[in-house]
Amino acid sequence: MKYSKQRELILETLKSAETHLTAEEIHILVRKTLPSVSLGTVYRNLNLLVERGLIRSLTTSGSTSIRYDGRTEEHCHLICTSCGKITDIDLDIFTPFDVFIYDRTGFSVDDHDFVLKGICADCSPHKFTI
Amino acid sequence: MKYSKQRELILETLKSAETHLTAEEIHILVRKTLPSVSLGTVYRNLNLLVERGLIRSLTTSGSTSIRYDGRTEEHCHLICTSCGKITDIDLDIFTPFDVFIYDRTGFSVDDHDFVLKGICADCSPHKFTI
DNA sequence: ATAGCTGCAAAATGTTTGCGCGAAA
DNA sequence: TTTCGCGCAAACATTTTGCAGCTAT
């Protein structure tokens, strides 16, 4: 993989983002530094980075577009159905989980994609204060 | 919601399928019984059924299209990265999970979407017999 | 009678790709 | 200098929508 300013910038943008961005959102951010970057280049590099394991992608039913995550360690996503915010949470349950599933089905787990939907702490009070 | 032959057929098709179908696959199956059904109608009804909680939708990173699941009870999906097969598995771990997350973050969980990627039992032997 | 559903086709959305030029090795 | 990545625009895939006619209530 040959170096490119564009790819570096895309990766950096994603690593420093606290949210889970779409390709379009990344495109907008990247262009603030390097206005000539095209959307095609953003997509090409995101696919490349996912392939190489430098970032992760996540799709959520409800939204049509793919979101990208600069964190490479496995973790869960909490999606608030009220405000749409996606939060990361670390859980140490993956290993016992995998063993359980392997014993029961013979399926050997490589990767986890756990999404929990509900109401986040910030939105929760509103349920009671209307 | 008014009765329609099309919607009944779509739901029935999904309930009796052992796989997780895309809209296009459902369209093909439904047309075997009622050839005039349009793809637009399939999409409209799938969205309606998901909204009403009569079916579930799932998106998987890697595939572009949404898949639909006739099972309404919460369960995990095992996706084989070798053959692409999606298997259901029931797990009784959701409740303790939710409590743990609520205690730690204040996020109150309504719904789970757990996807595990790996190699299924059928594909696994090939890893060792090459 | 009328609200809601359908088929059709066009539009909208999100992502990929072919091409010729320019940058990295 | 050769290979790879880029920008651009067109193509592609998937899903949604407007409309006029039909169907269930």
Side-chain angles (χ1 to χ4, degrees):
Chain A
M1 188 158 58
K2 201 189 276 188
Y3 170 83
S4 95
K5 184 74 195 161
Q6 289 86 340
R7 187 182 311 120
E8 181 183 45
L9 197 53
I10 289 165
L11 183 55
E12 199 178 275
T13 300
L14 213 42
K15 292 278 181 196
S16 64
E18 354 46 279
T19 55
H20 301 74
L21 304 167
T22 62
E24 189 122 16
E25 288 166 348
I26 294 164
H27 188 216
I28 292 166
L29 289 172
V30 161
R31 279 160 83 110
K32 289 186 181 172
T33 304
L34 204 61
S36 65
V37 175
S38 75
L39 188 55
T41 294
V42 172
Y43 274 108
R44 261 188 292 236
N45 279 302
L46 288 170
N47 287 338
L48 207 60
L49 291 168
V50 169
E51 237 170 66
R52 298 281 202 276
L54 298 169
I55 62 172
R56 297 181 144 254
S57 69
L58 59 134
T59 54
T60 66
S61 43
S63 157
T64 25
S65 47
I66 302 168
R67 292 188 170 271
Y68 297 89
D69 190 339
R71 290 184 65 194
T72 50
E73 333 84 74
E74 294 195 293
H75 58 275
C76 295
H77 291 116
L78 306 178
I79 303 184
C80 179
T81 50
S82 172
C83 68
K85 193 173 61 191
I86 305 179
T87 318
D88 291 330
I89 182 170
D90 290 303
L91 288 175
D92 304 325
I93 54 132
F94 292 128
T95 307
F97 213 88
D98 298 350
V99 172
F100 174 79
I101 286 173
Y102 185 78
D103 287 348
R104 190 146 139 193
T105 64
F107 187 98
S108 98
V109 178
D110 291 327
D111 192 28
H112 308 79
D113 191 1
F114 285 16
V115 176
L116 300 165
K117 289 176 193 157
I119 306 293
C120 75
D122 293 341
C123 291
S124 188
H126 305 310
K127 291 173 86 174
F128 307 108
T129 54
I130 290 168
Chain B
M1 188 157 60
K2 199 191 280 186
Y3 170 83
S4 95
K5 184 76 197 158
Q6 289 86 340
R7 188 181 311 121
E8 181 184 45
L9 197 53
I10 289 166
L11 182 56
E12 199 179 273
T13 300
L14 213 41
K15 293 277 183 198
S16 64
E18 5 28 288
T19 56
H20 302 74
L21 304 167
T22 63
E24 188 121 16
E25 289 165 349
I26 294 163
H27 187 215
I28 291 166
L29 289 172
V30 162
R31 280 160 82 111
K32 289 186 180 171
T33 305
L34 203 61
S36 66
V37 175
S38 74
L39 188 55
T41 293
V42 172
Y43 274 108
R44 261 188 295 236
N45 279 302
L46 288 170
N47 287 338
L48 206 60
L49 292 168
V50 168
E51 236 171 68
R52 297 279 201 277
L54 298 169
I55 62 173
R56 296 181 146 255
S57 69
L58 60 133
T59 54
T60 66
S61 41
S63 156
T64 26
S65 46
I66 302 167
R67 292 188 171 271
Y68 297 88
D69 190 340
R71 290 183 63 193
T72 51
E73 335 83 73
E74 295 195 292
H75 59 274
C76 296
H77 291 115
L78 307 179
I79 302 184
C80 180
T81 49
S82 172
C83 68
K85 193 174 61 191
I86 305 178
T87 318
D88 291 330
I89 181 171
D90 290 303
L91 287 174
D92 304 325
I93 55 134
F94 292 129
T95 307
F97 215 88
D98 298 351
V99 172
F100 175 78
I101 286 173
Y102 185 79
D103 289 347
R104 188 147 141 195
T105 65
F107 187 99
S108 99
V109 178
D110 291 327
D111 191 27
H112 307 80
D113 190 3
F114 285 16
V115 177
L116 299 166
K117 290 176 194 155
I119 306 294
C120 75
D122 293 341
C123 291
S124 188
H126 305 309
K127 291 173 84 174
F128 307 108
T129 53
I130 289 168

